[in-house]
Amino acid sequence: MCGIAGWVDLNGVGPDASTVAERLNDSQHHRGPDGGGIWTSPRAVLTHRRLAVIDVAHGAQPMALPRDRLVLSYNGELYNFRELRGELAKRGHRFRTSGDTEVVLAAWDEWGPAAVERFNGIFALAVWDSAEQTLWLVRDHLGVKPLHYHHDRDRLVFGSEAKAVLAHPAVEVAVDEDGLRQLALPLLKFPGTNPYAGVAEVPPGHVLRFSRAGVRNTRYWDLRDALAREDRQSPREAAERLGELLHDTVARQTVADVPLCTFLSGGLDSSAVTAIANGLPRDRPVDSFAVDFADASGSTDSRSSQDRRYAREAAEYIGSHHSNIVLDSALLSEREVRDRGIRARDLPNGFGDLDTSLLLLCQEIRRHATVALSGEAADEILGGYRWFHEPRAVAADTFPWIADSPAHGYLHQRVLAALDPGLVQKLRLEEYLRDEYATALGGLDLPDLPARERRHREIVHLAVTYFLPMLLDRNDRLSMAVGLEVRVPFCDHRLVEHVVSLSESTHNAGGREKGVLRDAVAGLLPEGVLERRKSPYPTTPDPEYARRLGESLAEVLSDPPDGLDRVFRAEVLDPARVTGAARSHGLVSNYEAEVVLNFASWLRQYEPRITV
């Protein structure tokens, strides 16, 4: 993967364009440690950081056609680039490289923005058309790859991460009321928006056009189309088709000219991906990795110990070369690691040791591989979470994972508990949630279905558009922070279209959650793993971790020039709650403590102007 950034100013980019371009490009060095490039013209600047995965020796970017007629800066992988290359060659295009970047450029030259409808992959790209004086920004179907922008009249600044956009001198680092609402609701990713004032995101499945006529966002792919279809395949036929699609997309996503591995937690989704990847023609077994915690080595009932057992069972059956990445809870609580996680995500809405452990896991995996395959997204498209089935969550007139208890709903309440009560009242969060929920379902035109089936499809829609993007954003930032590319086979748009058109009873074939997937991969996995119920990503079970959080709170509180006085001045968190948590030395919920520490880290590093 890579990092892209740049800007277009229709009145001229100015004499300091090269200096500003270097600043934007350097801000994303972690996304592309293998090389960087800058292209400038009187009205447009494109930059690129490269993580070389395919055609390592070539494919430097930005890449341009002769006379700079079209210039491309591209982040992602096109999994059908070989088929497109063959079709384009027949149409007269000649290629100098063997990678996918040149194919993307040639496809745009041949078909214009309609080319994206032919793409299969994960991508965020910028194309400058010098003849038309037009900038095009494109994001993949599910939004696996990020793309942010700031628009102000005749100028548009863009970047893979918010930090690249904020690095431009025309963009202020500020958060307004809407931004605070989003920070207060970290379990939702609001489509097309970002907490920083003036910063937006190209929505998944959209093409953005910027020219003298202004900005126009156009949707090229819509999940709602698939949800409105009633696939009448039998459960057996549906499972067979799912198996075919999963095998095809995993095969496509294992194409790389650098070392590749898989995440293997011992759950159904990651085990299925690992089994298929290992079954492909290859010189040696696929490498698989799982997170583990040093303090759990003697435990038999923690999530990590359960994952360790199931991952070992899966790896032995599959034949992968498996390793546990053992993390020390002391390292998870270090300020420097927390600060790195906040910088990676640009925001304070991280999830404590869930984030720091993923960051450290990716850092260790990067020592062995450049590309990793993940089982992410299977639960959202197949209804694998508890809140797809828990009656209270299903019946709630809101996002079901917020109504769910005790897991996600608990986290939601912990954030609210740490916020200043006056701020919570001023932000009118419940009203904001109601409005957003109504908007989310307002454009969903489903056929005449039984109430239970209709609700199931509504929840799938909510999960894919408001919950999955939060997880994809987390995965991208924390993996790319160490230069690791994570691919997600369950986000293949063909597979998604097939799965979401199936009925709830087919999803839960045999009375098992994700039963259709279990049937699709039967024979590839040991019985215990095949029938294992959903288990959340593990957290450290070490009680020392909570104590260290309390100590960190006390340390920050005792250092006013660089501590929580920033939080108090910002009037975001409740001083009484913060000081009480610090005095308790960890006798408060871990997550509540994490909220405070994350805000302190973010305010110290970014110094945003907060307007309420």
Side-chain angles (χ1 to χ4, degrees):
M1 290 303 160
C2 307
I4 67 173
W7 77 97
V8 168
D9 192 324
L10 298 174
N11 297 318
V13 296
D16 60 346
S18 295
T19 300
V20 175
E22 289 179 3
R23 187 185 311 161
L24 267 64
N25 214 23
D26 289 346
S27 73
Q28 298 185 138
H29 183 277
H30 52 282
R31 294 189 71 92
D34 297 328
I38 296 174
W39 179 90
T40 61
S41 72
R43 292 187 175 86
V45 174
L46 272 67
T47 76
H48 189 266
R49 292 299 321 181
R50 187 182 187 209
L51 178 65
V53 172
I54 295 176
D55 192 10
V56 174
H58 307 96
Q61 297 185 54
M63 185 178 287
L65 292 179
R67 298 180 299 281
D68 291 342
R69 183 164 51 85
L70 292 176
V71 186
L72 169 71
S73 189
Y74 161 61
N75 165 34
E77 300 291 346
L78 209 60
Y79 301 130
N80 64 336
F81 78 95
R82 289 172 172 167
E83 295 98 314
L84 287 174
R85 181 189 178 102
E87 183 176 355
L88 289 163
K90 291 178 182 177
R91 292 173 176 264
H93 292 267
R94 297 293 175 261
F95 296 92
R96 298 172 290 105
T97 67
S98 60
D100 60 340
T101 302
E102 195 176 12
V103 173
V104 172
L105 185 59
W108 198 277
D109 184 34
E110 180 68 29
W111 298 299
V116 71
E117 298 175 14
R118 300 169 182 261
F119 292 171
N120 176 287
I122 52 178
F123 47 84
L125 61 92
V127 176
W128 170 247
D129 186 325
S130 60
E132 300 291 334
Q133 295 288 282
T134 297
L135 175 71
W136 299 89
L137 300 178
V138 184
R139 196 169 178 203
D140 65 67
H141 303 73
L142 274 295
V144 177
K145 291 290 101 184
L147 187 51
H148 299 72
Y149 70 95
H150 165 83
H151 172 233
D152 181 17
R153 299 183 182 179
D154 292 331
R155 181 193 298 117
L156 188 144
V157 184
F158 67 90
S160 292
E161 299 182 6
K163 60 174 60 68
V165 177
L166 297 174
H168 193 283
V171 185
E172 182 185 18
V173 183
V175 176
D176 57 18
E177 284 192 14
D178 273 346
L180 287 173
R181 291 184 180 104
Q182 293 183 43
L183 294 181
L185 300 167
L187 291 170
L188 295 168
K189 187 82 168 66
F190 299 91
T193 67
N194 186 273
Y196 287 108
V199 178
E201 299 182 20
V202 177
H206 278 69
V207 174
L208 180 149
R209 181 181 188 268
F210 173 61
S211 66
R212 291 282 182 191
V215 168
R216 185 181 68 195
N217 261 306
T218 304
R219 188 191 298 271
Y220 69 85
W221 184 82
D222 196 338
L223 174 74
R224 294 173 297 186
D225 294 338
L227 283 166
R229 291 200 300 269
E230 292 185 82
D231 195 314
R232 300 187 182 280
Q233 296 182 74
S234 69
R236 179 178 178 179
E237 291 170 331
E240 289 176 351
R241 179 57 179 156
L242 174 55
E244 292 169 359
L245 286 167
L246 191 54
H247 277 76
D248 180 72
T249 191
V250 170
R252 291 175 182 274
Q253 295 190 28
T254 52
V255 174
D257 297 331
V258 293
L260 177 144
C261 69
T262 69
F263 290 135
L264 177 59
S265 67
L268 173 65
D269 313 327
S270 63
S271 298
V273 169
T274 301
I276 294 171
N278 196 64
L280 297 169
R282 53 191 315 112
D283 296 334
R284 57 185 298 274
V286 69
D287 290 322
S288 59
F289 295 91
V291 67
D292 200 356
F293 299 98
D295 47 84
S297 58
S299 173
T300 59
D301 58 357
S302 68
R303 274 190 223 149
S304 57
S305 64
Q306 292 176 28
D307 279 0
R308 186 188 320 118
R309 176 168 59 85
Y310 279 109
R312 185 185 306 116
E313 181 183 355
E316 290 175 355
Y317 188 92
I318 293 166
S320 65
H321 180 259
H322 188 67
S323 301
N324 276 350
I325 305 300
V326 182
L327 303 178
D328 190 332
S329 61
L331 185 60
L332 294 174
S333 59
E334 283 189 2
R335 171 171 161 167
E336 187 271 336
V337 176
R338 179 182 303 279
D339 285 352
R340 287 174 57 200
I342 297 298
R343 285 198 304 272
R345 299 192 67 174
D346 286 320
L347 294 166
N349 57 349
F351 298 120
D353 67 311
L354 293 175
D355 276 10
T356 51
S357 64
L358 181 57
L359 175 67
L360 295 173
L361 171 67
C362 291
Q363 177 178 283
E364 181 61 25
I365 290 175
R366 186 62 176 88
R367 296 178 58 240
H368 308 276
T370 307
V371 176
L373 268 63
S374 164
E376 199 74 83
D379 288 308
E380 287 77 13
I381 64 176
L382 282 161
Y385 291 112
R386 163 193 163 98
W387 36 265
F388 272 93
H389 315 284
E390 202 272 326
R392 175 183 169 186
V394 172
D397 190 21
T398 187
F399 297 93
W401 54 92
I402 289 182
D404 185 24
S405 176
H408 296 298
Y410 177 79
L411 299 184
H412 170 66
Q413 292 301 324
R414 290 308 92 199
V415 176
L416 295 185
L419 295 180
D420 180 84
L423 176 63
V424 173
Q425 184 176 8
K426 186 172 186 177
L427 294 180
R428 304 187 307 280
L429 291 175
E430 295 306 319
E431 178 183 337
Y432 186 70
L433 262 179
R434 283 196 302 271
D435 290 346
E436 193 65 32
Y437 180 71
T439 299
L441 294 183
L444 189 59
D445 185 17
L446 296 176
D448 188 17
L449 297 168
R452 178 169 174 171
E453 178 64 27
R454 172 178 289 274
R455 183 55 177 164
H456 180 72
R457 294 192 181 217
E458 286 179 350
I459 296 178
V460 169
H461 172 67
L462 295 171
V464 174
T465 54
Y466 282 81
F467 190 76
L468 177 61
M470 177 266 296
L471 297 179
L472 293 176
D473 182 82
R474 170 180 177 263
N475 275 0
D476 175 85
R477 298 303 187 284
L478 297 174
S479 60
M480 290 306 297
V482 297
L484 178 70
E485 173 186 322
V486 176
R487 298 177 177 178
V488 276
F490 284 102
C491 281
D492 183 296
H493 71 279
R494 303 166 305 153
L495 187 151
V496 172
E497 289 171 1
H498 167 64
V499 165
V500 303
S501 68
L502 302 174
S503 67
E504 180 191 25
S505 61
T506 300
H507 281 178
N508 301 318
R512 305 160 298 168
E513 115 249 336
K514 295 190 293 189
V516 66
L517 176 59
R518 299 180 198 277
D519 291 340
V521 297
L524 298 180
L525 304 174
E527 190 68 17
V529 174
L530 184 67
E531 299 301 333
R532 187 186 180 192
R533 300 296 297 271
K534 169 68 180 176
S535 178
Y537 184 87
T539 59
T540 175
D542 187 1
E544 263 303 286
Y545 181 72
R547 188 186 66 80
R548 288 175 180 274
L549 288 183
E551 289 181 348
S552 296
L553 280 172
E555 180 182 346
V556 171
L557 188 62
S558 66
D559 185 17
D562 193 35
L564 288 177
D565 65 321
R566 294 177 184 269
V567 180
F568 300 156
R569 287 201 307 270
E571 298 182 343
V572 173
L573 302 186
D574 180 1
R577 172 70 85 172
V578 170
T579 54
R583 292 193 195 100
S584 72
H585 285 263
L587 299 178
V588 63
S589 74
N590 285 7
Y591 193 78
E592 189 173 281
E594 302 282 9
V595 171
V596 177
L597 291 170
N598 286 348
F599 265 94
S601 174
W602 174 61
L603 290 167
R604 178 174 39 51
Q605 295 187 79
Y606 285 78
E607 299 186 330
R609 184 173 67 88
I610 296 179
T611 59
V612 182

